[in-house]
Amino acid sequence: MSCYRGKYADELIANAAYIGTPGKGILAADESTGTIGKRLSSINVENVESNRRALRELLFCTPGALQYLSGVILFEETLYQKTAAGKPFVDVMKEAGVLPGIKVDKGTVELAGTNGETTTQGLDGLAQRCAQYYSAGARFAKWRAVLKIGPNEPSQLAINENANGLARYAIICQENGLVPIVEPEILVDGPHDINKCADVTERVLAACYKALNDHHVLLEGTLLKPNMVTPGSDAKKVAPEVVAEYTVRALQRTMPAAVPAVVFLSGGQSEEEATVNLNAMNQYQGKKPWSLSFSFGRALQQSTLKAWAGKEENVKKAQDAFLARCKANSEATLGKYQGGTGLSEGASESLHVKDYKY
Amino acid sequence: MTTTTFASFIKLNASSSPWIGQRSFNQRPGSSSRSPAATVSVIRAGAYSEELVKTAKTIASPGRGILAIDESNATCGKRLASIGLENTEANRQAYRQLLLTTPGLGQYISGSILFEETLFQSTTDGKKMVDCLREQNIVPGIKVDKGLVPLPGSNNESWCQGLDGLASRSAEYYNQGARFAKWRTVVSIPCGPSALAVKEAAWGLARYAAISQDNGLVPIVEPEILLDGDHSIDTTLEVAERVWAEVFYYLAENNVMFEGILLKPSMVTPGADHKEKADPETIAKYTLTMLKRRVPPAVPGIMFLSGGQSEMEATLNLHAMNQSPNPWHVSFSYARALQNSVLMAWQGRPENVEAGQKALLSRAKANSLAQLGKYSAEGESDDAKKGMFVKGYTY
């Protein structure tokens, strides 16, 4: 057969298309327990289950926010959590027309013999876990592969290994009813210019799609979560229109029209930067047979976290900040973001952390 | 450093990955924050980048397609023999002259693929064939492959020759006026196809494409999946997806610039001997599904081969594919499906030249309408409906 069409094929295609609905995007709230701990400690909040639960409730129950979201990526713990009133988070989402998603990878490990390059773990037992997550209400999954740009990186080994991992993960998801988000993140760290990033991005995406095709993945039932094409973190910035042009061109050269949507990662850009760049992409005149949307973690939550600071009395203020970012990114998917409106403290703050370990 | 020098530096390094075991060219002192070229990305840039993009766009213009008249002398001989003509240079000249001097052809035809003899030929009035084309705003193209030969170690399959000396031949063709090239390799479903045959077909195309672009010619990428066989349309879809995945991967590895290529695929149809025929809507659905899964939007145009379909079939199928907007220009590059009624009308007689030209214009117009999704089959002749499939057809 040309590509795999199991019993979930129609559902996968419908869900993938839905996630790419213009005006909507994804909230990535799938920080592992360790990573969310870093976020919480930055606002002096203890990393205990009740606090993790409280933060996620703050986000998911922000009045009016869910209309701007087509999906939320969760960490396993959160998939089974409830609001303080006892309502499962997945039900809160479902009622608002938001698809629950689940992070299924088990983090990165180093590839021996390389200069700190990594591969992503998580294939063992993945099929059973996906089936369980589906029963619990998840309808899409996410797996983050990481590559870096350096004098000799990314190596062909790292590209091939990560592309193959993504392809295996993707087909297993599709066998079990979850739309796989394919995420080959090329880290922004480095002094390289935008041309270099474009070249690497095009090479990596070509390898990813070759692997997906070799593994018979149904492209219409997948999503891509790439980095935007930008200069390295130590290089001079460029205008959003340039980011838009280079990013769209990289996708035009690698991503088949069968894939319904791209949901960009923010990768350390500030909230405002990420939104403005996404907006520029949706204004860019050129062939774009897929939706261009967002799957932001830090770039949706930063100012919300700062406003909350772990205090009950700050919840409303924090939710206002979150709503503002959701709305801004929704407008950006339509190319209608005006920029800078309702900026809270922290919206312009760069979220780049060198050599960021997820 | 000027953009041109930077571009040629990339060209030099393009064949060796700049980041494996070598210092990347971006690590040279003062290389950061270079301002990017305004219109064409510096990635995979060569001396001809802008021209290649422009040529490809011209060929892929709305309402127009390619007239393929690149039959080798031997194959042209078969055409001439079918109307009782001897295979002489004079007869080949007379035939090509009839086609290329058709008044108004440029309204429906954007490019014409020539055989080497024709590229260097003139009409009986002494006018260069390429000039006849240029005057009509038709881009001259050139077949550059050297034909199919048996592929050792395969399951009776073929591979396409022609890489030796291709760079200098391409440069020579460019000087003569050609602006695009064509290389036809084949894949056989009854023979597998074997992984070896698919890999060879894809790799040969990728190498040819890179060399063509390096010498100013837009490469038409043609891996023809032969109609021969009794397989279903689902099997054709599977093989087509496999072949195109391989082709695009190797094109990328060879640093080919996708904005400066054109594709010449076969449509996704059942095999010639399959019990069920497929209607144009089904062929369109399967073919578009395949294209959407495999062809990056950066490719400007997809010019289908007719591969043994009747003139009318080829036109109807093209029309069905253009009923809604596509991310690439979807058009035709037809040889037999444009020439069949011409030969019938001409019969090799000077007094029939006008009739022959009229027939060509009529087929070209029909396909132009099909490209715009506006073709109607009313009034088509019986000749137009005749199938042209020849089992085991060798080009």
Side-chain angles (χ1 to χ4, degrees):
Chain A
M1 66 187 92
S2 67
C3 63
Y4 172 69
R5 286 192 74 105
K7 68 180 190 189
Y8 294 105
D10 291 337
E11 193 183 329
L12 292 170
I13 293 171
N15 285 341
Y18 176 70
I19 289 175
T21 304
K24 294 186 193 274
I26 294 177
L27 162 65
D30 60 318
E31 298 86 356
S32 62
T33 307
T35 303
I36 198 66
K38 291 186 207 165
R39 305 260 190 281
L40 295 173
S41 76
S42 78
I43 50 169
N44 294 314
V45 172
E46 210 192 333
N47 187 11
V48 290
E49 207 221 321
S50 56
N51 284 338
R52 296 194 291 271
R53 197 207 58 73
L55 169 60
R56 271 65 182 264
E57 177 165 354
L58 186 160
L59 297 170
F60 306 157
C61 297
T62 296
L66 293 186
Q67 67 180 302
Y68 300 120
L69 301 177
S70 47
V72 176
I73 320 179
L74 306 168
F75 182 62
E76 188 176 324
E77 178 187 75
T78 321
L79 186 65
Y80 297 101
Q81 274 179 334
K82 306 179 165 107
T83 65
K87 187 170 195 177
F89 283 147
V90 292
D91 290 346
V92 173
M93 287 175 210
K94 282 219 176 103
E95 280 167 23
V98 179
L99 291 173
I102 176 74
K103 181 231 290 292
V104 302
D105 71 73
K106 291 191 177 244
T108 58
V109 287
E110 277 197 18
L111 287 167
T114 68
N115 181 21
E117 292 180 287
T118 62
T119 185
T120 300
Q121 298 186 122
L123 292 175
D124 294 352
L126 180 60
Q128 290 93 307
R129 290 167 50 225
C130 286
Q132 266 167 32
Y133 295 144
Y134 184 92
S135 304
R139 288 297 176 268
F140 69 96
K142 169 233 163 170
W143 170 291
R144 177 173 176 264
V146 184
L147 295 148
K148 68 175 183 181
I149 296 179
N152 302 311
E153 289 84 24
S155 64
Q156 201 60 47
L157 169 65
I159 294 175
N160 293 346
E161 172 58 30
N162 281 288
N164 197 60
L166 281 165
R168 281 293 297 137
Y169 138 80
I171 194 73
I172 291 171
C173 283
Q174 292 195 329
E175 286 180 286
N176 292 285
L178 302 181
V179 172
I181 294 188
V182 174
E183 179 178 356
E185 173 169 6
I186 299 161
L187 296 173
V188 70
D189 303 55
H192 55 272
D193 66 12
I194 193 170
N195 288 314
K196 176 73 178 198
C197 178
D199 198 22
V200 173
T201 303
E202 289 173 20
R203 251 167 238 286
V204 168
L205 291 179
C208 285
Y209 280 102
K210 180 66 165 61
L212 289 171
N213 292 336
D214 286 348
H215 287 250
H216 309 298
V217 174
L218 174 68
L219 293 183
E220 294 88 334
T222 64
L223 297 161
L224 185 72
K225 181 165 169 168
N227 50 284
M228 298 184 193
V229 177
T230 68
S233 51
D234 298 333
K236 211 171 77 162
K237 291 215 175 295
V238 300
E241 292 68 41
V242 178
V243 171
E245 185 192 342
Y246 275 69
T247 306
V248 173
R249 184 164 46 230
L251 295 169
Q252 284 173 342
R253 288 173 171 180
T254 55
M255 203 170 84
V259 181
V262 176
V263 289
F264 289 101
L265 60 93
S266 47
Q269 294 179 44
S270 72
E271 289 178 329
E272 186 66 5
E273 220 181 338
T275 307
V276 166
N277 284 335
L278 179 63
N279 189 53
M281 273 186 247
N282 279 293
Q283 290 186 336
Y284 175 77
Q285 299 292 312
K287 283 194 277 192
K288 298 180 291 183
W290 354 254
S291 300
L292 299 173
S293 186
F294 58 92
S295 174
F296 293 164
R298 288 172 279 171
L300 270 171
Q301 299 180 57
Q302 178 70 356
S303 34
T304 308
L305 270 167
K306 279 201 141 123
W308 179 44
K311 302 200 175 91
E312 181 66 36
E313 61 267 28
N314 290 340
V315 167
K316 168 111 194 3
K317 195 169 78 153
Q319 290 186 325
D320 287 344
F322 183 60
L323 179 64
R325 281 337 299 169
C326 286
K327 182 158 188 271
N329 284 303
S330 163
E331 287 169 0
T333 69
L334 302 167
K336 292 187 174 151
Y337 180 57
Q338 299 296 319
T341 46
L343 268 185
S344 322
E345 186 205 321
S348 304
E349 197 186 302
S350 165
L351 298 164
H352 176 246
V353 172
K354 212 178 177 78
D355 212 16
Y356 182 65
K357 296 271 185 292
Y358 209 112
Chain B
M1 184 178 259
T2 64
T3 307
T4 326
T5 335
F6 182 47
S8 51
F9 191 79
I10 290 185
K11 251 193 347 164
L12 285 173
N13 280 316
S15 57
S16 53
S17 296
W19 55 80
I20 298 179
Q22 295 163 38
R23 279 166 60 91
S24 158
F25 55 81
N26 275 318
Q27 301 309 310
R28 292 176 300 114
S31 68
S32 67
S33 63
R34 188 185 320 279
S35 57
T39 47
V40 176
S41 172
V42 187
I43 310 304
R44 299 179 194 164
Y48 294 99
S49 290
E50 282 185 38
E51 188 183 348
L52 292 169
V53 172
K54 189 152 169 272
T55 302
K57 272 206 185 125
T58 302
I59 294 173
S61 48
R64 302 208 294 165
I66 292 177
L67 167 63
I69 56 167
D70 59 316
E71 294 87 357
S72 61
N73 289 344
T75 305
C76 191
K78 289 187 204 166
R79 305 266 185 273
L80 297 171
S82 77
I83 51 171
L85 282 186
E86 220 189 316
N87 189 10
T88 61
E89 209 211 313
N91 281 340
R92 294 192 295 272
Q93 177 195 37
Y95 180 45
R96 269 69 184 264
Q97 177 169 330
L98 182 163
L99 297 169
L100 300 185
T101 58
T102 299
L105 190 61
Q107 203 187 344
Y108 310 120
I109 300 294
S110 52
S112 187
I113 321 178
L114 309 174
F115 182 62
E116 190 179 281
E117 178 186 80
T118 321
L119 185 67
F120 291 92
Q121 247 178 3
S122 301
T123 64
T124 46
D125 301 328
K127 188 171 187 181
K128 289 199 195 146
M129 297 285 193
V130 290
D131 289 340
C132 296
L133 288 171
R134 284 229 204 86
E135 275 167 22
Q136 295 225 52
N137 194 24
I138 301 175
V139 183
I142 175 71
K143 182 232 292 291
V144 303
D145 70 73
K146 293 200 173 238
L148 302 166
V149 286
L151 178 61
S154 73
N155 186 22
N156 262 332
E157 296 157 293
S158 332
W159 66 291
C160 186
Q161 295 185 128
L163 291 178
D164 293 354
L166 181 59
S168 45
R169 283 193 299 127
S170 302
E172 209 193 310
Y173 295 147
Y174 181 93
N175 283 337
Q176 183 63 10
R179 287 295 177 271
F180 71 95
K182 171 231 165 175
W183 169 289
R184 173 183 176 262
T185 191
V186 300
V187 165
S188 159
I189 295 181
C191 294
S194 66
L196 171 63
V198 172
K199 190 176 208 147
E200 169 54 39
W203 186 254
L205 281 166
R207 295 283 300 120
Y208 137 80
I211 293 170
S212 297
Q213 289 196 330
D214 218 36
N215 290 284
L217 303 179
V218 170
I220 295 191
V221 176
E222 179 177 359
E224 173 169 1
I225 297 166
L226 297 167
L227 196 55
D228 302 56
D230 61 5
H231 48 273
S232 69
I233 195 171
D234 288 295
T235 300
T236 308
L237 178 63
E238 182 191 331
V239 173
E241 288 181 359
R242 220 174 107 204
V243 168
W244 283 107
E246 199 102 341
V247 169
F248 275 105
Y249 187 56
Y250 293 146
L251 286 171
E253 275 199 327
N254 279 271
N255 295 311
V256 173
M257 184 185 56
F258 293 163
E259 292 86 350
I261 69 174
L262 295 163
L263 307 186
K264 183 161 170 169
S266 31
M267 298 183 196
V268 179
T269 69
D273 297 328
H274 188 69
K275 48 182 156 59
E276 282 160 37
K277 286 249 158 277
D279 62 20
E281 287 66 42
T282 305
I283 291 173
K285 179 164 161 252
Y286 272 74
T287 307
L288 289 175
T289 296
M290 184 277 287
L291 296 174
K292 285 181 184 159
R293 287 176 178 172
R294 292 296 182 268
V295 182
V299 175
I302 300 178
M303 327 293 286
F304 281 98
L305 61 92
S306 48
Q309 297 176 36
S310 74
E311 288 178 328
M312 203 169 92
E313 256 176 327
T315 306
L316 280 170
N317 290 336
L318 181 63
H319 166 81
M321 279 190 259
N322 279 293
Q323 293 308 300
S324 51
N326 294 309
W328 347 255
H329 179 75
V330 173
S331 186
F332 58 93
S333 172
Y334 292 164
R336 284 174 280 175
L338 277 170
Q339 296 180 50
N340 194 46
S341 11
V342 179
L343 284 162
M344 296 291 120
W346 179 45
Q347 294 295 321
R349 301 211 187 89
E351 62 269 26
N352 292 341
V353 165
E354 210 183 304
Q357 292 185 327
K358 198 154 163 257
L360 176 61
L361 212 57
S362 162
R363 287 296 354 129
K365 182 173 185 201
N367 285 301
S368 160
L369 288 170
Q371 198 290 308
L372 298 167
K374 295 183 176 156
Y375 168 73
S376 148
E378 266 177 58
E380 287 282 30
S381 73
D382 283 330
D383 273 344
K385 298 175 191 164
K386 233 170 26 188
M388 287 183 289
F389 172 66
V390 173
K391 213 181 175 85
Y393 181 68
T394 47
Y395 207 113

